[in-house]
Amino acid sequence: MQSPKYYFLLLVLTVSLLQAQKPKTPTSTEIYESLQKLNFLGSVLYVAAHPDDENTKLISYFSNQIKARTAYLSLTRGDGGQNLIGPEIRELLGVIRTQELLAARRVDGGEQFFSRANDFGYSKQPDETLDIWNKNDVLSDVVLAIRKFKPDVIINRFDHRTPGTTHGHHTSSAMLSVEAFDLANDNTAFPNQLNQTSLWQPKRLFYNTSWWAYGSEEKFNKVDKSKMLTLDVGVYYPLKGLSNNEVAAQARSQHLCQGFGRTLERGSQTEYIEFLKGDPLSENKDIFEGIDTSWNRVKGGKAIGAILNDVEHHFNFTNPSVHIPKLMEAYQLLQNIEDDHWKTLKTKELKTVIEMCAGLYLEVSAKTYWATQNDMVTLNIEVLNRSNQNISLESIKNANAVDISKHINLKENTKFNFKETFKVGSHQQPSSPYWLTKKGTLGMYQVDDTRLIGLPETPRVYKVDFNLLINNTPITFTKNVVYRFSKPDKGELYRPFEIIPEVSAKITEKVIILNSDDQHDISVVVKAGRDNLEGSVEINHPSDWNIYPKNQKISIKNKGEEQTLIFTVIPPKTQSEGIINPVVHVGDKDYTKELIEINYDHIPAQTVLLPSESKIVRLDIKKKGENIAYIQGAGDVVPESLQQIGYNVRILKPEEINAETLSYFDAVVVGIRAYNTVEDLKFKQDLLFDFVAQGGNMIVQYNTNRGLKVSNLAPFELELSRDRVTDETAEVKFITPEHPILNYPNKITQHDFEGWTQERGLYFPNKWAPAFTPILSMHDKGESAKKGSLLVAKHGKGYFIYTGLSFFREFPAGVSGAYRLFANMLSIGKEDLKLDAKIND
């Protein structure tokens, strides 16, 4: 039976998923908490390397308990991770993880920033990381984040003093933070940044340590803690009805693509932060010691503080609107202070509080969720004042920055709806993540507009300004254009309003593997971004390939509709590979990008434009066996890849695994991390092992050594480790070159390990029974040989194979050698008798 807290978490997550894209409608307690934060003038910046590296307990604690402005700087967007909820990897996974971080911050109250660093995959040393990243550029981004955010305190997630003990990205994030701590106040460091921000010196730098950094709680108990602060992050928030740990668990659970859904925690819990540099603390109690975090911090702020603290002290939970006259008085005073940093921040916060107290509902919804250049877009504008305060809508400035006079007295709880239109600019660039608009390098994204560096997402172009008078004081609220709609099974929904190109195209197969010189038909899907689209499509291709016809006409009547064109690919006689990409000609313009939509309930829908291209590979590959059962794990495209080389692949659900069903297959392939994610497989292992004993082949792809759902990964002893080879160019040695898996039906050579991407493999076993034969040896620079990447064991009449090689990355990249080796793995045991006898001799 599931515990009550499981169902509570499920309820919380379900509500958060359904509400992920809706505008916030705050309660009185949330207004009051916003007032508390308004009256605290202090800030904390937490620094680490990846999404899900952040300590949500500390971020929530500083945001909700201390009331500090709190942010997380993640140097990367997590592009190199795995995806447990869908097929997206690399850049698209980075888009998802970016939005999951923003979802987490909406829960714990923090803000989110990034650098331009690309998560290129696991790295064992910071030297390698900083070389691939381009240290100076990422350091520049960290300095810029500090100068813009202006934190009083910085907290590093990782230790800069222990290179080689954790992910190289982790240590690098800490090293860069330590260096940036001083450079942020140095006018000779990255002086061009001072055109958009100013120098800043944080007060203190800390390291968020714990017993795991020392290997055990016993060792940690013996550590000198004279420079450490202890924080009880398990505090209870009566206004929320939740403890800090519960809030943090909800935030952590937004990282769904990484499998970080959490049950809620309660009770006292200690976090440790170690002082590293800056102004020493006289007592290890308050990280803001010596910093005035009241309104007295700002010249001219005393009078503002007196008003706002009085509102907080006498807050009316049943009718917050009674405070609007005082809040507007504070707003007017705030516009006169000289400190631009605090003026900008606190004006934004105060306007939000005023909007919430008045129950103002201001919404701009387009009739469609996307438009293209020169489109006329109809907007439904809703204005509602749910208070008895004197508020009028004087004018709006529409999405084309045109002022439209209104002069409407907003009577209490009387809704006003009106229509407006605007025209999308003829040169308006399509919506897409800004860091993906230009091709970057392995380690860095290219961002030409320096104003965008550090932002979590591309700012929305089309907005509407609502120019109001509240108690005769002018005040403006700005709202993005959104798309509001409903579905019968989900109710009211929202998604961002996007600009798309007038046409986009994609080849449905991202990797096309051809095992002969037979011609192959491919589908090109063209999507219209406007009505009455006319044009033609051709496909660029390598010179030794041919594609017929050379071009085809397109004619699409309605925007949003698609037209599918069939082209015939004629491969060369010999092995070859290259890139093909569709080009759509419309008038005098050419379009070469694919429109990708990412839709998950827990994040806002995302629209991404990427170059539309597919890899084509003509290879000589032989195989034995035909029918493959695939048991899905964390998600990959291995089944589709095996179909490309001629296998019949059927996805087999755990409940379908039985002796009779298995008898139809030549081999069973278990997807990546299946034994970490599929609970029911623990009941099916004996059936699978019996299948092998009866003559079938079973291939198990990598799993992590933590969180295994089964006690017996294999028919024989097999222990996973954290061994991995991250250098995709690392030399591969053949331990048993005569083994069938390297010889039949394809002769595997060193050439087959060329062109691998991101890594050789991960989580290799380091202990195994004598029944296993290790096939390959490889290692990263300066390390001992790792022999557990590919293990083969005869079991009865069949073969059991465990592999940590990253086929799930190589197949989507069209690495021909990976296909040839996997075909051999599936074919083992089906050799010619002559070869079989030779091996046995």
Side-chain angles (χ1 to χ4, degrees), residues 394-688:
E394 293 301 294
S395 66
I396 64 169
K397 181 179 286 186
N398 73 8
N400 289 137
V402 175
D403 280 311
I404 301 171
S405 180
K406 292 296 179 184
H407 301 296
I408 299 172
N409 180 28
L410 300 179
K411 296 179 181 179
E412 182 178 1
N413 211 31
T414 300
K415 183 174 68 172
F416 293 89
N417 283 97
F418 43 91
K419 305 285 186 183
E420 295 291 346
T421 60
F422 77 94
K423 185 177 182 180
V424 177
S426 59
H427 299 289
Q428 179 58 52
Q429 293 299 308
S431 307
S432 195
Y434 70 85
W435 62 95
L436 297 179
T437 57
K438 292 286 186 70
K439 186 175 179 60
T441 64
L442 174 65
M444 295 293 295
Y445 284 119
Q446 181 179 337
V447 181
D448 293 339
D449 187 345
T450 58
R451 296 170 300 175
L452 298 176
I453 294 174
L455 297 181
E457 55 186 345
T458 307
R460 295 289 159 183
V461 174
Y462 291 108
K463 309 168 184 288
V464 168
D465 289 344
F466 293 83
N467 301 312
L468 306 182
L469 279 180
I470 299 182
N471 288 352
N472 297 315
T473 299
I475 187 169
T476 297
F477 296 95
T478 302
K479 299 297 177 181
N480 292 327
V481 176
V482 297
Y483 174 60
R484 178 162 63 102
F485 62 108
S486 65
K487 287 186 176 182
D489 59 335
K490 293 185 178 180
E492 185 179 67
L493 298 170
Y494 285 77
R495 64 175 293 165
F497 173 74
E498 311 280 16
I499 304 301
I500 66 170
E502 63 175 337
V503 65
S504 58
K506 66 178 179 180
I507 299 173
T508 55
E509 300 171 272
K510 289 304 173 189
V511 177
I512 302 165
I513 305 292
L514 301 180
N515 194 23
S516 70
D517 60 1
D518 293 341
Q519 64 186 32
H520 177 78
D521 288 343
I522 61 171
S523 298
V524 177
V525 179
V526 181
K527 183 171 185 175
R530 64 169 173 82
D531 293 336
N532 302 314
L533 183 78
E534 302 282 343
S536 64
V537 180
E538 65 175 316
I539 298 180
N540 291 332
H541 57 85
S543 59
D544 56 340
W545 294 67
N546 286 302
I547 293 182
Y548 178 84
K550 295 296 183 184
N551 61 68
Q552 296 190 54
K553 297 291 185 183
I554 54 169
S555 179
I556 305 176
K557 184 177 181 180
N558 300 309
K559 67 178 181 180
E561 289 186 347
E562 296 179 342
Q563 181 177 343
T564 300
L565 307 173
I566 305 299
F567 287 84
T568 299
V569 175
I570 305 170
K573 297 289 185 182
T574 58
Q575 191 158 308
S576 173
E577 61 182 60
I579 298 296
I580 59 174
N581 64 284
V583 181
V584 184
H585 306 290
V586 178
D588 59 353
K589 294 182 179 179
D590 293 341
Y591 296 88
T592 60
K593 290 193 174 182
E594 173 184 357
L595 184 69
I596 302 166
E597 293 187 78
I598 300 175
N599 277 299
Y600 292 101
D601 285 342
H602 66 301
I603 59 174
Q606 298 296 298
T607 299
V608 184
L609 274 174
L610 291 177
S612 180
E613 56 185 33
S614 295
K615 186 170 184 179
I616 49 174
V617 180
R618 160 72 171 96
L619 56 79
D620 294 318
I621 186 170
K622 302 177 181 66
K623 61 185 182 65
K624 293 291 183 179
E626 297 294 334
N627 301 314
I628 309 299
Y630 199 87
I631 302 171
Q632 290 182 311
D636 55 54
V637 295
V638 173
E640 297 89 336
S641 301
L642 296 179
Q643 288 173 334
Q644 288 251 358
I645 57 174
Y647 284 103
N648 302 317
V649 182
R650 175 183 163 186
I651 303 297
L652 201 61
K653 297 178 180 178
E655 61 268 25
E656 297 176 316
I657 299 174
N658 57 61
E660 181 180 0
T661 301
L662 291 174
S663 68
Y664 290 102
F665 299 103
D666 298 299
V668 172
V669 180
V670 181
I672 62 172
R673 295 184 66 181
Y675 290 123
N676 297 125
T677 59
V678 184
E679 190 83 31
D680 289 347
L681 283 182
K682 64 186 176 184
F683 305 118
K684 303 296 182 177
Q685 286 294 78
D686 289 342
L687 284 168
L688 292 168

Side-chain angles (χ1 to χ4, degrees), residues 228-388:
M228 292 186 192
L229 281 75
T230 59
L231 304 171
D232 183 357
V233 296
V235 293
Y236 178 67
Y237 302 131
L239 291 176
K240 296 180 183 294
L242 295 169
S243 68
N244 185 71
N245 285 342
E246 290 172 297
V247 175
Q250 290 180 30
R252 188 74 168 164
S253 292
Q254 303 306 309
H255 296 296
L256 295 183
C257 75
Q258 301 301 294
F260 283 145
R262 294 288 184 265
T263 54
L264 304 189
E265 299 178 18
R266 286 161 285 276
S268 179
Q269 187 171 4
T270 301
E271 284 283 344
Y272 297 88
I273 54 174
E274 176 188 353
F275 175 78
L276 295 179
K277 65 190 305 185
D279 290 1
L281 296 168
S282 59
E283 297 182 19
N284 288 341
K285 292 183 178 180
D286 180 11
I287 65 169
F288 289 103
E289 179 185 308
I291 303 170
D292 189 347
T293 58
S294 74
W295 276 99
N296 294 332
R297 179 173 190 168
V298 180
K299 182 181 178 182
K302 185 176 181 180
I304 300 170
I307 295 170
L308 294 178
N309 280 290
D310 183 68
V311 172
E312 178 187 338
H313 184 69
H314 297 97
F315 185 71
N316 187 326
F317 283 87
T318 59
N319 184 15
S321 67
V322 299
H323 301 297
I324 287 178
K326 286 292 185 183
L327 293 174
M328 292 304 300
E329 183 182 345
Y331 172 78
Q332 288 178 290
L333 292 173
L334 182 54
Q335 305 319 298
N336 296 322
I337 68 170
E338 298 175 3
D339 190 316
D340 286 338
H341 174 70
W342 287 111
K343 177 181 177 179
T344 300
L345 289 178
K346 293 302 177 181
T347 294
K348 181 180 178 181
E349 291 180 33
L350 180 52
K351 285 171 65 175
T352 299
V353 171
I354 292 168
E355 183 180 1
M356 292 190 294
C357 284
L360 278 172
Y361 191 87
L362 308 171
E363 182 181 275
V364 187
S365 178
K367 289 187 68 174
T368 177
Y369 64 84
W370 49 257
T372 192
Q373 293 174 350
N374 297 314
D375 269 358
M376 294 299 297
V377 180
T378 300
L379 302 177
N380 179 59
I381 298 177
E382 181 176 338
V383 181
L384 177 62
N385 167 27
R386 289 175 284 197
S387 74
N388 60 3

Side-chain angles (χ1 to χ4, degrees), residues 732-735 753 774-778 786-787 789 805:
V732 177
K733 294 182 178 180
F734 298 165
I735 302 173
F753 290 93
I775 305 299
L776 307 173
S777 173
M778 58 189 73
K786 305 295 185 289
K787 299 181 179 180
S789 64
L805 294 172

Side-chain angles (χ1 to χ4, degrees), residues 161 207 209-228 272 274:
R161 301 161 294 192
Y207 159 50
T209 188
S210 181
W211 66 262
W212 50 261
Y214 293 85
S216 69
E217 293 189 52
E218 182 180 0
K219 291 180 180 178
F220 185 61
N221 290 335
K222 298 176 182 178
V223 171
D224 178 10
K225 297 183 179 62
S226 60
K227 290 188 176 182
M228 292 186 192
Y272 297 88
E274 176 188 353

